[in-house]
Structures are given as structure tokens and as C-alpha cells.
Amino acid sequence: MSRLVMKFGGTSVADLERIRRVARIVAAEAARRPVAVVVSAMAGKTNELVAWTDGAGGAAAGLPMSDDEYDVVVASGEQVTAGLLAMVLRNMGVPARSWLGWQVPIYTDDAHGRARFDEIPPEKLVAAMDGGEVAVIAGFQGMTRDGRITTVGRGGSDTTAVAIAAAVGAGSCDIYTDVDGVYTTDPRIESKARRLARISYEEMLEMASLGAKVLSTRSVEMAMARNVPVRVLSSFAEPGESDGQGTIVCDEEEIVEKRIVSGVAFSRDEAKISLYGLPDHPGVSREIFGRLADANVNVDMIVQSHAHREGAANMEFTVGKRDAARAVEVVRAAKDIIGFDDVAVDEDVAKVSVIGVGMRSHAGVAKTMFGALADKGVNIQVISTSEIKISVLIDAAYTELAVRALHAAYGLDRL
Ligand code: ASP
Ligand code: MG
């Protein structure tokens, strides 16, 4: 049987009892084929370690200054769980050993706190796995070419798992988490939401970046680039019963049962900024969005329209809630240079999106969406589209109503 990489996140290894449960799931697979397991730190551990580095005056990750000692501290959470899981497996009679990033080795660049994977020579791991020993790998960490420890960004263990799967040529990368797969929408909002047996990489990318927190965006990007089949599974399932369970994230061509729309996603982490009375001439957008980019503000949806007044335009765009105040500050500071009358911000908005690769070849997807929203009296403020996604910005109070209406309109209740 082909090699398997399994990954367990922080909640799945939160205490010894759960680590024992994980060990039973791993043992069931290891009886059938060569296995590597990637683990996160115990839930909450990494936050605690980050707080320690703050207290010690280290430069937090994400800041321009790169701090190699930050990585030494925060990488330690994964070392603990790797060792514990290997220990528990051995006590069950399953040959196992832990592997830290530098022991594999997992080479990364030297952007401490947010390093990118570079190269993973697979020989040592493959020899151990094929020799029947479970390789328990500390996720989230790597090392630079000159031997310093790195971490690959918060939530990075998913990406470690996919990178390892690509390196050892695994037949699947099984990501165990606290949900049992990818759903047509959030089951907490729509009880008729269904688990998808398969979803394409591209659809999953849209879902992931829209806040369906099942897989990290980077891990899906890497899986797509390296063509690694990923399976999302529940770590609360019974050991040895993973066959046919979960959701497989794979190439579009491998999905037999085609759908036009696969899912409805939403995000409440949105703020809408409106600029009124802009001059209508070339260079205005460059001025606005150049300044926002320099201030590290990520802009999502953008619409521009003519104002009533001759030669004037209005512009609306959305940013994440935590960037809203900064975005307003940035444009306000350049009010005279940009030349607008007024700026307003609205945080009571939500973005609802329908996603599906079938949109590429089917007409009428937008019509269905706008019809369903109109029937419920939901007003659309901003629209944006991509090849496989239509998003609308609406009043946040209507989020659940809109999600349910769209879920029904595309027949996702009856998959
Ligand atoms: N432990 C790391 C974090 O909390 C990596 C991960 O869990 O994926 O960000
Ligand atoms: Mg995670």
C-alpha cells in the first residue's frame, strides 16, 4: 500500500487522553502501510509560548524585524507532542520515533516566524517509514541552511503535512481535525448542510480564504501545486474506520459527480469604506490603493461609480475589520492629495459567496443568486466575481438568512 501522511491539530492532541486516541488511529493505519504523522502543539500552547516571547521583549512574528529566537521558543510546543505521541505508540507496541524539523531535515528560508518551505530530502524519513517505523514529525518547524530553527507561520502544521506528503510521495495526506469534512456551508447556520465527498483544490482555496477554517490556505495552495490528494477527517472517528469518510480535496478532473455550485461561504470579518466625491480622472485609484498597500492594508472588493455631480465619482471597497480604522486614517491623511469630499465606514456588513468550478461552463448562476436574495428582501451593496465565485456584500443582520436562501437555491440541501 502507498505511504500515508496523517496530521493532527492542537485540539486532537490537547491532552494525554486525546494523544492516546490519536495513537490508536495511527496504529490502525500503520498496520496496513508506511505512515508518517505530523503533529501540532497542544491546543493553546503556541499562544502561551508567543506570550512568553512578548514578555522577553522579542520581536513578534509578522513584524518586519525577523527574530530567530522567537522561533526557538515557539517551535518547542510541537517537540513535546511529537515526543509524547511516539512514546505512547511505542508503549502500544507500535515502532515509532519522533522527528524534529532539523532532523528530517525540513529546510526553509530564513524568514523567521513565517518561513517558506524550501527542500525536504526524503531519504531518511522514507527509510524509517518503509522499515515499519511510524515517523512522528513535529509540525510548524524547520531549519535554515545554516542550522537555525524556523517556524512557518501560525497554523502552519497543515502545510508541513502537505510538504512531507509531497516529499515522500504519499498516496494521501489525511488531515484530522474537529470536523468530519468540508461542508456545503457552516452546519451551525444551516442544519441541512451536507458533507462533500470531494471538492476541488480551487474550490477549497476559495472556501479556505473565505474563512472556512478547515485547512490553511497555504496548505491547499501547496497541495494544488504539488498535486497531493488531501483528505479532511474527524479525529473523533473510530480508529480504523476512516475508509470512505471525510472529504477528499483533489483535482477537478477526479470529481465525477459535477456540481455547478459546491458551497456557500460567508465572512463577517468585513468593513466597507466609502469615498464620496472623488475626482474622475486617471491616477486616483493608484493614489488610494497605493497608499493602502504601503500601509499593509489588504483590500478585497472594490466598486467605483459615477456620482451625481459632473466629473465626480464614488468608490467603495472592503477590508478586514481590524484594518478598517487604519484604512480610514490612511485615506483621511491624504484627503487633499486624493481630493474627495467625504469618507464613511460601515462595519455592519458581511460577505456571502457561492463557490463552484461548474460556474465556468454554466450560465445563470448569478441570476439564481440575485433572485434568491431579492426574494428574501436582502439588499446587495457590493458584488465581486471570479471564474468560480460570486460574492456579495450585504447588511450583516441578513447573513444567516442569505446563507440559507442560497444553500436552498442551488439545491445543496439535496446533494
Ligand atoms: N502550533 C502552531 C500554531 O498554533 C501550528 C499549528 O497548530 O498549525 O499556530
Ligand atoms: Mg490548525
Side-chain angles (χ1 to χ4, degrees), residues 35 79 86 150 166 237 261 270-271 343 353:
V35 168
Q79 173 163 346
T150 55
V261 165
E270 306 287 329
V343 53
S353 310

Side-chain angles (χ1 to χ4, degrees), residues 7 9-10 40 155 157-158 213-214:
K7 184 258 167 179
S40 291
S157 305
D158 289 353
K213 291 194 183 59
V214 187

Side-chain angles (χ1 to χ4, degrees), residues 6-8 12 21-22 25 174-183 195 214 231-242 245-247:
M6 310 169 79
K7 184 258 167 179
F8 293 89
S12 308
R21 172 169 196 92
V22 165
I25 299 175
D174 288 358
I175 309 263
Y176 284 83
T177 173
D178 43 10
V179 293
D180 66 347
V182 180
Y183 277 69
R195 180 169 58 82
V214 187
R231 200 155 59 121
V232 178
L233 287 162
S234 167
S235 57
F236 301 103
E238 282 312 306
E241 289 193 347
S242 70
Q245 298 296 304
T247 298

Side-chain angles (χ1 to χ4, degrees), residues 252 258-260 356-365 387-388:
E252 202 179 320
K258 302 275 188 235
R259 299 168 301 255
I260 298 171
V357 287
M359 272 180 219
R360 284 203 203 101
S361 48
H362 282 83
V365 179
E387 249 195 321
I388 66 161

Side-chain angles (χ1 to χ4, degrees), residues 7 9-10 39-42 46-47 74 78 139-140 153-158:
K7 184 258 167 179
V39 287
S40 291
M42 291 178 176
T46 309
N47 288 343
V74 301
E78 274 72 11
F140 183 50
R154 296 303 308 272
S157 305
D158 289 353

Side-chain angles (χ1 to χ4, degrees), residues 184 187 190-194 407 412-414:
T184 49
E190 173 51 275
S191 58
K192 295 188 198 121
R194 305 259 173 157
H407 197 262
L412 295 172
D413 307 8
R414 319 172 244 110

Side-chain angles (χ1 to χ4, degrees), residues 105-110 117-121 142-148 150:
I106 298 173
Y107 288 118
T108 70
D109 65 13
D110 60 2
F117 291 95
D118 181 1
E119 196 201 342
I120 304 178
M143 98 166 154
T144 63
R145 292 282 167 178
D146 52 2
R148 297 293 287 162
T150 55

